[in-house]
Amino acid sequence: MVRPRVLLTSSDVPSLGVDLLQTKCDVTIIQNEKSSREDVLQTLPGYDAVLITGHHNVNTEFLNIAGPNLKVISTISAGYDHLDVPEIKRRGIKVGHTPQVLSAAVAEIAVMLTLCAARRSHEGRLKLEEGNVKTTFNWLLGQDLRNSTVGIVGLGSIGQAVLVRLVPFGVGTFLYTGHSEKKAGKDLGAKFVSLDELLAQSDFVIVATPLTNETLGLFNDTTFGKMKKNSVFVNVGRGKVVDTDALVKALKNHTIFAAGLDVTDPEPLPKDHELLKLPNAVIIPHLGSATTKTRNDMSIIAAQNILNGLDGKPLVYEL
């Protein structure tokens, strides 16, 4: 029997996923940790399946070059805004991603950013480096999670995991917003409200929503202006959900208290970007799912999506 041919768009895939694919397929790996689009398109024609790393844009051009053999696409990510899903499915190609398995790791990062931004950790470090530490009683005071109101924008698997991890901190009220009320929200004791209500009432606003046409630029001058002056803004969703210039203004003008960001626009931020100069912004370079176990699990699921699709079975996580 001829084994299916699978292309990996970069070498930056844990070996567990690669090994799984190699049990049933002939695997070609573009030997680059961060391959260019030109590298991918040049190698692409004729494969039965493609495992996407690095958020390569899978659009009409990509699919035309791939040709009629392509049966399955699997992206090693929870987000899929880089995939033209309607066009992929219109061509009868199965397409999958790797959600759920990274929810715990991303939620841990959200909690870390929430605490660090609320307690002014970055600002404190800057003061240490400047030799400007004071011992006065009211110096560098932060915000409490205890008895606070936490609003979660996007109560999917990541949003739910964040909520569960914040419960032990003694949060007073959990709010969430989205398209509709969710059973999970009710089960977790969270109240469904409009976005405007959430912004007006929340001491902490945590964004865990995917990037869609609806959420693009959702946080802008208007939305930041509706938040409390003591509010802490945390984004573990997608960078483009936030208008970066509006966030810089909100932080500089103290429209909001602080921000904790795992994702930004642009990403990565240039080293001289204004956001990086702000003492009330805690920023890390998209490390949400960056644990050894999580990335191994993601690679296995991405590979299993492909094997299932080539076998005519439902994908583990199909879009």
Side-chain angles (χ1 to χ4, degrees):
M1 285 182 63
V2 177
R3 285 158 60 96
R5 299 177 67 222
V6 178
L7 176 66
L8 273 61
T9 61
S10 88
S11 60
D12 194 25
V13 178
S15 59
L16 291 176
V18 179
D19 293 345
L20 179 57
L21 282 173
Q22 287 177 332
T23 61
K24 295 186 177 180
C25 305
D26 287 336
V27 177
T28 299
I29 303 172
I30 296 177
Q31 293 300 325
N32 238 321
E33 283 196 353
K34 190 170 176 59
S35 54
S36 69
R37 184 167 180 81
E38 292 70 28
D39 290 336
V40 174
L41 295 183
Q42 187 175 11
T43 316
L44 186 59
Y47 285 89
D48 298 288
V50 180
L51 193 152
I52 303 287
T53 62
H55 287 71
H56 287 286
N57 186 15
V58 179
N59 55 10
T60 299
E61 178 194 34
F62 184 104
L63 297 169
N64 286 345
I65 291 173
N69 283 354
L70 187 60
K71 302 173 186 67
V72 190
I73 294 169
S74 182
T75 179
I76 188 167
S77 62
Y80 50 89
D81 45 281
H82 55 299
L83 308 179
D84 186 345
V85 176
E87 179 60 20
I88 295 168
K89 293 177 76 69
R90 188 187 70 78
R91 297 179 183 227
I93 299 167
K94 293 187 175 182
V95 55
H97 63 148
T98 62
Q100 310 294 339
V101 68
L102 50 67
S103 297
V106 177
E108 289 170 4
I109 284 283
V111 173
M112 181 191 81
L113 289 170
T114 299
L115 291 169
C116 286
R119 299 302 297 272
R120 303 170 74 171
S121 67
H122 177 57
E123 189 175 357
R125 173 62 185 259
L126 292 175
K127 297 294 185 188
L128 275 171
E129 292 176 358
E130 294 164 1
N132 190 22
V133 175
K134 298 179 181 178
T135 56
T136 53
F137 193 64
N138 287 320
W139 183 68
L140 221 62
L141 301 184
Q143 305 295 333
D144 282 292
L145 265 169
R146 176 172 50 100
N147 296 325
S148 69
T149 296
V150 172
I152 298 175
V153 181
L155 197 71
S157 60
I158 292 172
Q160 291 168 38
V162 172
L163 190 159
V164 168
R165 282 158 179 77
L166 288 178
V167 168
F169 288 91
V171 171
T173 304
F174 285 104
L175 307 176
Y176 73 99
T177 192
H179 285 126
S180 59
E181 191 168 2
K182 292 190 171 188
K183 181 181 182 298
K186 201 170 288 186
D187 292 344
L188 291 168
K191 182 183 177 186
F192 179 69
V193 296
S194 68
L195 177 62
D196 281 354
E197 288 178 272
L198 184 145
L199 297 174
Q201 296 177 32
S202 296
D203 302 298
F204 295 85
V205 175
I206 300 176
V207 180
T209 185
L211 179 64
T212 65
N213 290 334
E214 190 178 0
T215 62
L216 178 65
L218 178 64
F219 285 89
N220 51 36
D221 288 330
T222 302
T223 38
F224 286 124
K226 293 176 180 178
M227 292 167 62
K228 294 181 177 182
K229 286 197 175 296
N230 70 313
S231 62
V232 174
F233 176 77
V234 174
N235 187 12
V236 293
R238 281 287 182 263
K240 289 182 182 293
V241 170
V242 178
D243 178 329
T244 301
D245 290 340
L247 177 59
V248 169
K249 277 190 284 183
L251 291 168
K252 287 180 76 171
N253 298 337
H254 302 288
T255 305
I256 62 174
F257 183 78
L261 309 173
D262 183 39
V263 290
T264 57
D265 179 33
E267 192 172 296
L269 287 173
K271 64 182 181 180
D272 59 348
H273 196 280
E274 196 165 7
L275 261 181
L276 295 173
K277 300 172 185 176
L278 299 178
N280 55 343
V282 178
I283 305 171
I284 57 174
H286 206 155
L287 299 177
S289 64
T291 72
T292 301
K293 177 171 172 44
T294 301
R295 292 290 169 85
N296 281 337
D297 291 346
M298 289 171 72
S299 76
I300 291 168
I301 289 171
Q304 195 63 55
N305 278 338
I306 287 175
L307 294 180
N308 285 12
L310 292 173
D311 253 356
K313 299 174 183 175
L315 276 56
V316 183
Y317 293 111
E318 189 161 357
L319 291 164

